[in-house]
Amino acid sequence: MAPAYVSTRGDAPRLGFVDAMLAGLARDGGLYVPETWPTLTRDEIADLAGRPYAEIAYRVIAPFVGDAIPADALKRMIDEAYGAFRHAAVTPLTQVGANRFVLELFHGPTLAFKDVAMQLLARLMDHALAERGLRATIVGATSGDTGGAAIEAFRGRSRLDVFILMPDGKVSEVQRRQMTTVPDDNVHAIAIDGSFDDAQAHVKAMFNHHAFRDRLALAGVNSINWARVLAQAVYYFAAATALGAPAREIDVVVPTGNFGDVFAGYVAKRMGLPIRRLVIATNVNDILARTLETGVYEVRGVAPTTSPSMDIQVSSNFERLLFDAVGRDPATVRAAMASLGQSGSFTLPAGALEVIRAEFDAGRADEDEVKATIRRVLETSGYLLDTHTAVAFAVAEKAETDPGVPQVVLSTAHPAKFPDAVEAASGVRPGLPAHLADLLERPERLTRLPNDVAAIEAFVAEHARVAKTAAA
Ligand SMILES: Cc1ncc(COP(=O)(O)O)c(C=O)c1O
Ligand SMILES: N[C@@H](CCOP(=O)(O)O)C(=O)O
């Protein structure tokens, strides 16, 4: 029996898997989480070792879906999603150091870990809308990678229009072009004069504007969407079982911004995967590292770095962890989020910090460390890291370790997405793979809008086909 999904703020309808996926943000402004955690037994986990990625994905995802989607349809969508990856293992592990492994999550079409979930999410949403004879309007925020992965996965889908908000001038050229060079007319790349945090706040505001949300049939593809996080939990199982789980634990070090990826590791752990430590790695935009040090979650100004996708201050999914850390008490989460909205900070309630520290560590890497790490790892191991992975690698080197526990560093992007920063650090300019070789010559299409939710809503309403269908 699959779980129902409940909001972290306790005041939204309890939904099944498909409705929670299509809803995106809960109607009370919270995030959907499963009411209970499905688990896999030790034997079931052991049996994942050596299986194809798509099969592992089915076994991890199916308990959360139940009979909401027929098993053969779910299997077919998973097979299709991962059939398009450029590596047979989908998310291969590479050993870089005596007991350290890099989990390469960038073999999908847009060279970032977002493809792993987005390729499946697009198929699941399309399937659900087709079953119900509906259309939807996706609004998403990106600091660089979610947008490209969403646009690639949803382009040309007749039931969906995609509007992606990016911070103008703050993503890499490759990232921007992945969003602006797609000719399909259901795709709208929008640059706002603001930060990723502003973009994410606008997306949440559109969801919280219920009349607009309902008229446009809004859907979300950020990690707001539970199905995104769920699909990311799979690669933790693939990596851990390849390294000996359940007989052997692993540590994971996760480059973190919006807290979706590391929360997916937490989900895997709740399901029974033996993960010893979940290590949150941040760049100098270190709200999460500070929170684990002080117990105060406090937003400060965002500083631009060479790992722009992690230039985030308001880490959306921390709310999901907070919900668990306070014993799933929605009133406490509501109070914390109200304080965040009013004063830009909240203090973790008594006991919550200890609960979090029992499973998570955190560290930060500054720009000099990132540069030095890229150079050193190339020199010593012949392995070229991207800047986001380098943040995690630098934190991994400083983390507390156990010699009997392999340490897995998540590699979230291909270095060719950030060629200038990687070349400046290493002297090597990484090239794009063949399918993107002419990316820099393709014509671009980008709409610039003010940093104002009313202007964004007006643009979405004017261009979304669902609004025109409703008006007709
Ligand atoms: C390349 C890259 N690494 C790491 C992250 C951080 O992941 P999360 O937001 O899930 O914490 C992002 C953005 O989300 C990213 O694009
Ligand atoms: N780093 C992300 C920010 C959005 O994160 P998401 O996981 O919530 O979609 C990006 O690259 O856009």
Side-chain angles (χ1 to χ4, degrees), residues 87-404:
H87 197 290
V90 180
T91 60
L93 273 172
T94 301
Q95 187 157 8
V96 184
N99 199 25
R100 183 170 292 135
F101 297 81
V102 171
L103 179 61
E104 295 180 351
L105 303 173
F106 52 72
H107 294 284
T110 69
L111 318 183
F113 78 107
K114 308 287 181 176
D115 290 323
V116 179
M118 209 65 85
Q119 284 294 317
L120 180 59
L121 181 64
R123 289 169 170 84
L124 292 171
M125 284 176 80
D126 216 17
H127 173 84
L129 292 171
E131 289 279 294
R132 296 175 180 199
L134 297 174
R135 313 170 65 102
T137 305
I138 290 169
V139 288
T142 190
S143 53
D145 289 321
T146 292
I151 284 172
E152 182 59 33
F154 286 92
R155 62 187 287 187
R157 293 189 186 267
S158 61
R159 295 181 176 278
L160 289 144
D161 292 304
V162 191
F163 296 82
I164 297 294
L165 308 180
M166 74 184 92
D168 202 359
K170 298 189 180 93
V171 305
S172 80
E173 183 179 8
V174 172
Q175 289 178 315
R176 188 191 72 242
R177 286 178 165 274
Q178 285 180 323
M179 294 185 265
T180 57
T181 59
V182 173
D184 303 66
D185 59 10
N186 72 326
V187 164
H188 304 272
I190 301 166
I192 60 156
D193 184 16
S195 65
F196 167 78
D197 293 313
D198 294 329
Q200 178 158 256
H202 295 325
V203 166
K204 289 193 173 182
M206 284 188 267
F207 273 101
N208 287 328
H209 181 177
H210 287 175
F212 181 78
R213 168 190 187 143
D214 294 340
R215 184 159 60 88
L216 276 291
L218 290 194
V221 293
N222 282 104
S223 51
I224 285 171
N225 193 319
W226 166 254
R228 266 275 317 274
V229 177
L230 172 59
Q232 290 176 215
V234 173
Y235 44 72
Y236 288 88
F237 280 91
T241 53
L243 292 171
R248 190 155 69 146
E249 293 179 308
I250 60 165
D251 286 344
V252 289
V253 187
V254 188
T256 303
N258 223 8
F259 205 77
D261 207 6
V262 71
F263 189 79
Y266 171 84
V267 171
K269 190 169 181 185
R270 290 281 79 75
M271 290 181 75
L273 192 68
I275 297 176
R276 190 185 70 106
R277 304 299 300 165
L278 287 154
V279 184
I280 300 163
T282 73
N283 63 23
V284 292
N285 297 297
D286 59 352
I287 184 166
L288 293 164
R290 285 187 282 111
T291 304
L292 262 81
E293 276 160 23
T294 64
V296 181
Y297 183 98
E298 185 191 16
V299 176
R300 294 184 186 159
V302 77
T305 71
T306 53
S307 46
S309 304
M310 289 158 58
D311 291 347
I312 295 177
Q313 281 290 301
V314 183
S315 293
S316 180
N317 285 283
F318 192 70
E319 178 169 344
R320 286 188 164 116
L321 180 64
L322 179 67
F323 183 58
D324 268 13
V326 299
R328 298 203 145 205
D329 173 22
T332 307
V333 175
R334 280 201 301 273
M337 292 304 138
S339 167
L340 184 64
Q342 280 152 19
S343 65
S345 75
F346 64 84
T347 300
L348 285 172
L353 182 58
E354 290 65 36
V355 172
I356 292 172
R357 281 183 180 157
E359 312 206 49
F360 290 86
D361 294 317
R364 77 176 66 70
D366 66 22
E367 290 294 275
D368 289 343
E369 287 175 280
V370 168
K371 212 170 168 181
T373 302
I374 293 175
R375 192 171 50 242
R376 184 167 24 77
V377 173
L378 182 64
E379 280 167 10
T380 55
S381 308
Y383 192 87
L384 191 58
L385 302 169
D386 104 283
T387 45
H388 303 73
T389 311
V391 168
F393 207 97
V395 170
E397 291 179 319
K398 296 186 278 191
E400 177 269 325
T401 53
D402 178 327

